Amino acid sequence: MNSSAVIIGASGGIGGALEAALVEEGAFGVVHGFARSRGGAQHLDLLDEASIAAAAALVAKGPAPGLVIVATGVLHAEGHGPEKAARDLDAAWLAQVYAVNTIGPALVAKHFLPLMPKDGRAVFAALSARVGSISDNQVGGWYGYRASKAALNMMVRTLAIEERRRSSRAIVVALHPGTVDTELSKPFQGNVQAGRLFTPDRAAMQLLDVIEELKVPDSGKLFDYEGKEVAF
C-alpha cells in the first residue's frame, strides 16, 4: 500500500479494465488513471509531451509508482486502416501511427521511469502486439502497425538496459494482450479463433497475472497474455 499504480490510456477498453481491476484488488495505495479523453488532472495526450510531464508531476506528489502500464495504441481511424500493400502507404498516417504506438509510450517512460523506486520491485509495461515481431512476420501487410510495434519493442529493450543501471530490480516489458473486444480490434474480429476473443475484463486479469509472475531477467522482453515470450 506504500506505492501507486499508473494506467496510461485508462479510457480505452483494456486500460479501463486494468484501472478497475487494480482499484478492486487494492494492492496499491493509489491508482492513477490518465487518458486523452479525460479532463483536468487526469488528462494525458501522448502527442503532447507537456501533458505527459504534467501527469508525471502529479504522480510524483504521492507514493512512488510500483507499476506503470501504457495501455494505448492505434490501428485504424476514419479513412485509414492497416495497409494491405506498399501502394497503400501514406506518410502522414505512418507518422500518426508511430507517434501514438512508439513515440508516446517512449515519452511516458522518459517521465515516469525516474519516479519508480530504486529499491524494490517495479514494473513498467507497454502494450505491444505479436504482429510487431519481425521474426514472426510470415504474411506481410499492416505495415505501419507492425513497424511501429516493432519499434516499440526496441524502445522497451533499450529502456530496460538503461533502467537496469538505475535499479537492479526494475522490470521493463512489452505485453501482447491478444485480440480483445475493443474498438481497435472490432473491424478485424471475423477471423479470430473461437475462444480467442477476450473481453477487456478477462484481458486485464490475464495481463495482471503475467505482470505478477515477471522476474528481473524478463526485463526488456515481449510476453503474451499467457506469459510466453514472443521473439522480437
Side-chain angles (χ1 to χ4, degrees):
M1 298 292 287
N2 293 325
S3 64
S4 63
V6 176
I7 304 296
I8 309 296
S11 64
I14 300 176
L18 284 166
E19 181 184 28
L22 288 169
V23 169
E24 183 176 352
E25 287 180 356
F28 294 91
V30 182
V31 177
H32 298 279
F34 297 101
R36 184 179 63 177
S37 62
R38 293 186 175 181
Q42 292 185 312
H43 174 74
L44 186 153
D45 186 345
L46 287 181
L47 305 182
D48 177 10
E49 186 175 358
S51 74
I52 298 173
L58 174 66
V59 172
K61 295 178 181 179
L67 174 63
V68 176
I69 305 178
V70 185
T72 57
V74 62
L75 173 59
H76 58 88
E78 186 175 353
H80 295 283
E83 307 90 348
K84 295 181 179 179
R87 63 178 175 271
D88 300 323
L89 292 172
D90 176 82
W93 175 241
L94 282 173
Q96 177 79 2
V97 171
Y98 269 88
V100 175
N101 291 344
T102 310
I103 299 172
L107 292 177
V108 171
K110 170 186 174 181
H111 289 279
F112 279 86
L113 279 175
L115 305 182
M116 303 186 82
K118 292 183 179 180
D119 301 318
R121 186 177 186 271
V123 177
F124 181 98
L127 296 196
S128 186
R130 190 183 300 276
V131 296
S133 167
I134 295 173
S135 61
D136 191 58
N137 183 3
Q138 303 298 321
V139 297
W142 289 35
Y143 283 81
Y145 191 70
R146 285 186 186 275
S148 64
K149 290 298 188 178
L152 173 61
N153 295 340
M154 181 57 79
M155 286 285 189
V156 165
R157 176 66 63 85
T158 307
L159 287 163
I161 293 170
E162 179 178 353
E163 188 64 8
R164 191 177 301 129
R165 303 183 187 122
R166 189 185 75 92
S167 170
S168 62
R169 297 189 62 190
I171 301 172
V172 182
V173 294
L175 298 176
H176 166 58
T179 304
V180 185
D181 189 11
T182 64
E183 290 301 316
L184 184 143
S185 71
K186 201 167 289 295
F188 316 101
Q189 294 176 3
N191 296 324
V192 179
Q193 294 178 352
R196 291 293 183 177
L197 178 62
F198 305 132
T199 66
D201 289 344
R202 178 177 173 184
M205 295 309 299
Q206 290 175 158
L207 291 172
L208 291 175
D209 286 344
V210 172
I211 289 171
E212 186 175 355
E213 295 299 322
L214 291 172
K215 304 294 189 294
V216 171
D218 296 326
S219 192
K221 299 177 181 179
L222 167 63
F223 295 92
D224 71 9
Y225 54 89
E226 293 180 325
K228 298 177 181 178
E229 183 178 353
V230 179
F232 286 163

